[in-house]
Amino acid sequence: MVKTILYDGLNLSLQKGTGVATYTRGLIQTVRGLGYQTGIVHSVQSKLPRNPALREVVLFDDNSNRKLGPVALGKRWARRRVGAPFGVTPTHVELTGTVILKSLQGNVLDSDYLYANNDLFATARHHFKNFGKSLPLSFAHKPDLLHCTYPIPMRARKALNVCTIHDLVPLRLPYLTEDNKRYHYKMLKHLVKSVDHIVTVSETSRQDIIRFLGVEESRITNTYQAVHVPLELREKSQDVAEDEIAGIFNLDWKKYFLFFGAFEPKKNLSRLVEAYLSAKVDYPLIIVGAPGWKGDQTQLLIEDDRFRFFLQQDNRIIPGRRIHRFDFVSYNLLVSLIRGARSVLFPSLYEGFGLPVLESMQLGTPVLTSTEGSVPEIAGDAALLIDPYNTQSLRNAVRALANDQDLCDHLAELGPAQAAQFSPERYQQKIATLYDDLLGS
């Protein structure tokens, strides 16, 4: 009998994804390839209607920026205050064909079951605050396992429960995140004791979790992650990719530096900008990422008129300035930007894995990255590693990449082979072993 594994939809955004969203998508696709049935449990802002077609509409309604009225806000406050003491039963949502999903390809995953519940993940957090336990979930089709791809205090009744903890950044570098540290620590301590198994994505994170949360080695598995830029994007002709970055961004092939990723303190953007400006190189710096928590000061530095590019009405960059930032570009264009960059600069202070490093390597682009966190074990000898706290070292590395063609060629040659160590095939083997051990397949 085919077994069913459910996953949370916490980070599965319909528009702008996150690193955890990429992890969740890759995990679900891998598990479907292994022959398991899969399902996704979503949280929606409003109560799900009884009408099947309307349920589908509500599930895919992009209402993330919609303001709730006073009545809805009051109900949400009351629901969170109570915290669902008896658990919840997420509603099964069938795809009726009402919603046209073609424009969401890549974001909407093939799954056998879709569930949704009003304010589910916030309810789970408040349930834990109120009762010190994970929120119990019941499902119309009983799963064999619920795998939360991010620490969420909820569990499936009468099923195995697994949680992925990507890193311990909120505890190890508490000044870099806005989490409630007391809550986060208590919740993690509860999860590592109550779930059936813990998954993580690097040996660095695995050792952190064992050391700081007291997890037994037999109860935690490092699966790493897979890097897989679609073949059609990797094999897109260079002429087409050059035309894209020239026509859309007014950039020349291999004549700009690129940073892409979340715009948050641990990404070390302030030091990167300072180092880049002091390096006095001819190549512009392109930053793809939206400001997040504590991003204001870095944004002000980036947008200083002395350094930033200006946009014409057709959104093309005017040459002559030094830094420009885009909140978001499509994945297809991002791949072309990575391929066309002189180097990707990713001097993060701490990463649980560091997928941008491997994506860039797979595309044959030289990478400058950090000696901290898990990145060294991911990058190996195929990247230029620097102390991310040392602005002078960072500046010197940027200069070297700008002026030393042999260095760039060497890193471009090593990158794809290193990325191949994290292939989808190897990842599938690790996931198959994990679930076979847990489910007895």
Side-chain angles (χ1 to χ4, degrees):
M1 182 176 178
V2 178
K3 295 187 176 180
T4 301
I5 303 175
L6 298 187
Y7 299 89
D8 68 281
L10 176 66
N11 288 279
L12 292 178
S13 167
L14 297 181
Q15 296 297 327
K16 301 178 184 179
T18 65
V20 180
T22 301
Y23 168 80
T24 304
R25 292 189 183 99
L27 178 58
I28 294 175
Q29 290 166 354
T30 297
V31 169
R32 288 185 66 79
L34 290 170
Y36 289 98
Q37 288 187 323
T38 61
I40 305 174
V41 189
H42 292 277
S43 177
V44 293
Q45 196 175 89
S46 59
K47 186 177 179 180
L48 286 160
R50 294 184 178 181
N51 182 284
L54 275 180
R55 283 182 185 174
E56 182 183 355
V57 171
V58 169
L59 178 61
F60 293 106
D61 182 17
D62 183 15
N63 58 11
S64 55
N65 295 319
R66 186 175 304 160
K67 293 183 178 180
L68 296 178
V71 175
L73 282 172
K75 289 182 178 179
R76 186 172 72 178
W77 178 87
R79 182 171 57 251
R80 292 181 176 182
R81 183 77 173 178
V82 174
F86 304 109
V88 300
T89 302
T91 301
H92 181 220
V93 181
E94 295 185 17
L95 296 184
T96 65
T98 301
V99 178
I100 299 172
L101 299 175
K102 289 182 179 180
S103 63
L104 302 178
Q105 288 178 351
N107 289 315
V108 176
L109 295 162
D110 289 331
S111 281
D112 300 282
Y113 301 104
L114 291 175
Y115 293 95
N117 199 82
N118 186 11
D119 209 25
L120 175 62
F121 304 126
T123 300
R125 289 190 289 269
H126 283 269
H127 182 89
F128 178 75
K129 289 179 181 179
N130 291 342
F131 305 106
K133 297 180 180 180
S134 294
L135 176 69
L137 305 181
S138 302
F139 296 94
H141 307 89
K142 188 180 81 68
D144 296 282
L145 187 150
L146 171 66
H147 187 156
C148 289
T149 60
Y150 192 81
I152 312 169
M154 64 185 195
R155 63 178 179 84
R157 286 188 169 110
K158 299 180 181 179
L160 292 173
N161 288 273
V162 172
C163 178
T164 295
I165 302 175
H166 296 263
D167 56 56
L168 294 186
V169 170
L171 304 182
R172 302 224 57 201
L173 294 90
Y175 42 84
L176 294 184
T177 70
E178 60 178 337
D179 311 68
N180 181 322
K181 306 307 184 298
R182 293 172 185 262
Y183 164 82
H184 194 75
Y185 179 73
K186 290 179 180 178
M187 184 264 294
L188 287 179
K189 289 289 285 186
H190 163 74
L191 284 179
V192 298
K193 291 180 180 179
S194 62
V195 300
D196 295 284
H197 202 72
I198 300 292
V199 174
T200 193
V201 292
S202 69
E203 193 58 29
T204 299
S205 291
R206 181 174 178 271
Q207 292 302 322
D208 277 356
I209 294 165
I210 290 170
R211 178 183 175 187
F212 295 105
L213 296 181
V215 177
E216 297 176 9
E217 291 198 14
S218 61
R219 298 191 62 248
I220 180 169
T221 298
N222 167 26
T223 63
Y224 287 112
Q225 284 184 239
V227 58
H228 179 60
V229 178
L231 188 64
E232 63 270 19
L233 298 182
R234 282 182 278 152
E235 295 189 347
K236 183 191 299 182
S237 74
Q238 183 175 318
D239 288 343
V240 172
E242 282 192 37
D243 287 345
E244 287 177 345
I245 66 170
I248 297 172
F249 304 104
N250 201 27
L251 293 169
D252 294 325
W253 192 259
K254 297 300 178 182
K255 292 186 178 180
Y256 60 91
F257 290 110
L258 175 67
F259 168 89
F260 64 98
F263 204 89
E264 58 189 9
K266 76 171 185 176
K267 301 303 181 183
N268 205 25
L269 269 172
S270 293
R271 286 191 184 91
L272 173 58
V273 170
E274 291 174 13
Y276 164 79
L277 292 172
S278 64
K280 297 182 180 179
V281 295
D282 293 332
Y283 302 119
L285 171 61
I286 307 303
I287 295 174
V288 177
W293 180 68
K294 283 193 175 181
D296 295 346
Q297 291 183 348
T298 304
Q299 185 175 1
L300 287 173
L301 179 60
I302 291 171
E303 295 184 350
D304 190 305
D305 286 348
R306 293 171 294 174
F307 312 132
R308 69 187 290 255
F309 286 84
F310 290 118
L311 294 180
Q312 295 175 336
Q313 289 184 350
D314 60 0
N315 286 332
R316 298 178 74 226
I317 300 170
I318 300 174
R321 302 282 176 167
R322 304 183 66 187
I323 300 177
H324 186 73
R325 179 180 64 80
F326 293 92
D327 277 0
F328 177 76
V329 300
S330 70
Y331 184 68
N332 289 356
L333 286 178
L334 178 60
V335 170
S336 293
L337 277 172
I338 297 170
R339 288 180 60 191
R342 175 89 177 170
S343 174
V344 166
L345 310 180
F346 194 74
S348 177
L349 298 178
Y350 202 98
E351 293 292 325
F353 184 73
L355 190 59
V357 171
L358 284 180
E359 288 174 326
S360 304
M361 287 181 171
Q362 187 176 46
L363 293 168
T365 298
V367 175
L368 179 156
T369 191
S370 168
T371 55
E372 298 295 310
S374 68
V375 173
E377 69 178 282
I378 305 302
D381 297 326
L384 184 57
L385 299 177
I386 53 90
D387 178 356
Y389 294 96
N390 190 322
T391 304
Q392 183 175 348
S393 295
L394 183 51
R395 180 197 65 191
N396 293 340
V398 170
R399 280 182 179 170
L401 289 166
N403 299 319
D404 190 338
Q405 187 60 50
D406 289 341
L407 172 62
C408 289
D409 292 343
H410 180 63
L411 294 175
E413 182 180 357
L414 293 177
Q418 178 66 17
Q421 301 296 314
F422 301 88
S423 67
E425 293 76 21
R426 290 192 178 191
Y427 183 64
Q428 187 178 62
Q429 291 174 359
K430 290 179 180 293
I431 296 301
T433 300
L434 170 70
Y435 286 147
D436 287 351
D437 289 347
L438 290 170
L439 294 169
S441 301

